[in-house]
Amino acid sequence: MIKKIGILNLMHDKIDTQKRFSYVLGQADPELEISYFYPRSHYRFRPLPPNWPAKPLDLDELSGLDGFIITGAPIEQLPFEEVDYWDELTQLFDRLKSLAIPQLYVCWGAMAAMHYFYGIGKHPLKEKLFGIYSQRILAPSPLLAGLANGFRAPHARYAEMNRAEILRNPRLTIHAQTPEGRLCLVSGPGRQSFLFSHLEYGPQAFSKEYQRELAARGGDDTGLAKPQCYFADESAMALPQFTWESTQEHFFKNWLQAVQQFQGGKNYVN
């Protein structure tokens, strides 16, 4: 049976984001059908980016999907309720919860969903978490099948969720984090997965993100975070290394297996 996935694309580099997700998911399942959406409310008074192959979010279409992904967004420092599409996003959260299809929330998408469903707080980091880091597996998860303790994963964010609040909530489980305690993977009931790593990123993504932020500052790199453990030549910021490729392959293959199990009517123990 062909799996059908919906993706709400909230990222700044929208075309690249869709290419990345299409690639990593297509590698795991070449027959996968992916529908990309954007929040209607965000573009009510602004033009859509040119040549963007996405359509407005339609909650009625969700019933025909087998899984759903909400991407990150470059708004970690903005209060959730001040996001101009927050109401629309919460309607999506509610519909996904009622359908109980496999849900993958990525980076800011994970922050927003965890805040909405469980009231977990968010706080800014002293500096951007930006680079490739080893991960400690704290609890087993089907999504981490095939990955060993210390697997590498990319992170790029300015904020973090309150870890103590997560630990106090019996419905949430932290499966993986950096040695310093930065979140990587958390699960909740109802087939909810909260991924705080940008595992969809390809080998050039960090270079592009750094150059985009540098350009936004007019070329001034004062205080600008540089990708850590990413370049083979750190001093020249040259020769990016794709050290999370195996993690990427395993994770998205595992998530699509979870989608397939849902299709087959199998249930997880929550």
Side-chain angles (χ1 to χ4, degrees):
M1 183 183 300
I2 295 177
K3 294 184 281 294
K4 298 180 180 180
I5 302 298
I7 299 180
L8 183 68
N9 185 358
L10 305 175
M11 289 288 280
H12 40 272
D13 50 348
K14 301 185 185 305
I15 304 299
D16 279 354
T17 292
Q18 293 188 191
K19 288 179 179 178
R20 290 168 187 151
F21 274 107
S22 292
Y23 176 77
V24 298
L25 293 170
Q27 287 289 101
D29 184 350
E31 295 185 351
L32 182 71
E33 291 185 8
I34 305 176
S35 297
Y36 289 98
F37 300 95
Y38 61 82
R40 294 173 183 265
S41 48
H42 188 60
Y43 294 97
R44 188 170 294 139
F45 303 111
R46 70 186 75 192
L48 291 171
N51 303 314
W52 181 20
K55 54 186 178 180
L57 180 64
D58 184 348
L59 298 182
D60 292 335
E61 290 191 38
L62 300 186
S63 59
L65 300 175
D66 304 304
F68 204 91
I69 296 172
I70 296 180
T71 72
I75 49 177
E76 301 102 310
Q77 296 165 308
L78 187 68
F80 295 115
E81 290 76 9
E82 291 185 13
V83 176
D84 63 5
Y85 49 84
W86 182 248
D87 288 344
E88 186 177 6
L89 189 59
T90 59
Q91 292 175 34
L92 173 59
F93 288 153
D94 288 338
R95 184 64 62 88
L96 291 173
K97 180 180 179 180
S98 68
L99 292 172
I101 61 177
Q103 304 143 55
L104 178 59
Y105 302 104
V106 181
C107 202
W108 183 84
M111 297 181 195
M114 189 174 288
H115 172 74
Y116 180 70
F117 287 123
Y118 306 106
I120 304 299
K122 171 172 65 78
H123 60 84
L125 295 171
K126 291 182 179 179
E127 58 184 18
K128 183 180 182 179
L129 184 66
F130 193 36
I132 318 305
Y133 305 92
S134 64
Q135 310 295 316
R136 290 180 178 174
I137 298 177
L138 304 183
S141 166
L143 300 187
L144 300 179
L147 295 176
N149 199 36
F151 70 88
R152 299 181 69 79
H155 292 265
R157 63 181 184 271
Y158 288 92
E160 181 69 303
M161 301 306 285
N162 190 307
R163 189 174 182 276
E165 292 179 356
I166 295 172
L167 290 172
R168 288 197 297 267
N169 193 315
R171 295 176 294 174
L172 298 173
T173 301
I174 300 176
H175 296 280
Q177 64 180 33
T178 70
E180 295 74 29
R182 300 306 183 197
L183 298 171
C184 179
L185 179 65
V186 179
S187 68
R191 302 180 180 87
Q192 294 175 337
S193 299
F194 306 94
L195 178 66
F196 293 89
S197 167
H198 277 287
L199 282 180
E200 81 280 6
Y201 273 13
Q204 301 298 324
F206 275 85
S207 292
K208 289 183 177 181
E209 184 164 334
Y210 175 79
Q211 292 299 327
R212 182 172 55 250
E213 292 189 347
L214 183 64
R217 290 165 164 249
D220 181 8
D221 66 353
T222 305
L224 180 62
K226 297 177 174 60
Q228 302 297 304
C229 305
Y230 172 60
F231 296 108
D233 185 347
E234 294 284 354
S235 61
M237 296 184 63
L239 303 174
Q241 304 294 294
F242 193 13
T243 55
W244 65 98
E245 183 176 15
S246 176
T247 304
Q248 181 185 87
E249 292 175 354
H250 279 89
F251 183 87
F252 285 105
K253 179 180 179 181
N254 292 338
W255 188 72
L256 286 179
Q257 286 179 345
V259 173
Q260 185 173 4
Q261 288 182 337
F262 171 74
Q263 279 188 311
K266 298 179 181 178
N267 295 315
Y268 295 117
V269 177
N270 291 320

